Amino acid sequence: MEIDLRFFATFRDAVGEKERPRTVADDATVGDVLAALEREYDGLEGQLLEDGAIRPQLSVLKNGRNVVHMTGVDTPLEAGDVVSVFPPVAGG
């Protein structure tokens, strides 16, 4: 099935584009996609997952809703979903 991935700030730099369609397995989860991205892009290696969970301060949204309020890495994906990945933001 086809989903859309959106990247922001430093993650956009690592991937080289803001948005990218991706074909995933019909039973894919958010965690599956994040693990695949870490393997595929050197700049993302170790940046998305930590001990099988989404790294602290990282925001991953499925269709605009933070997956930590769903089932985290186990959140299932459906055709047409939009997964957005935001790096930690600091400032003052």
Side-chain angles (χ1 to χ4, degrees):
M1 74 178 154
E2 190 89 6
I3 63 169
D4 286 318
L5 299 174
R6 295 185 181 160
F7 304 96
F8 297 85
T10 56
F11 292 157
R12 181 183 300 167
D13 294 339
V15 173
E17 54 193 333
K18 177 181 180 177
E19 191 170 333
R20 156 173 225 147
R22 187 173 193 98
T23 301
V24 297
D26 288 342
D27 62 348
T29 64
V30 168
D32 295 334
V33 171
L34 296 178
L37 289 170
E38 282 193 331
R39 288 189 303 271
E40 188 173 334
Y41 296 99
D42 291 338
L44 295 181
E45 186 177 357
Q47 299 298 307
L48 306 176
L49 298 170
E50 183 177 283
D51 298 325
I54 295 170
R55 289 183 61 86
Q57 290 84 38
L58 185 69
S59 294
V60 178
L61 309 181
K62 174 187 166 185
N63 300 327
R65 186 169 174 223
N66 197 319
V67 298
V68 299
H69 302 297
M70 298 174 164
T71 54
V73 292
D74 295 323
T75 301
L77 295 171
E78 298 174 11
D81 279 347
V82 176
V83 177
S84 304
V85 184
F86 296 85
V89 178

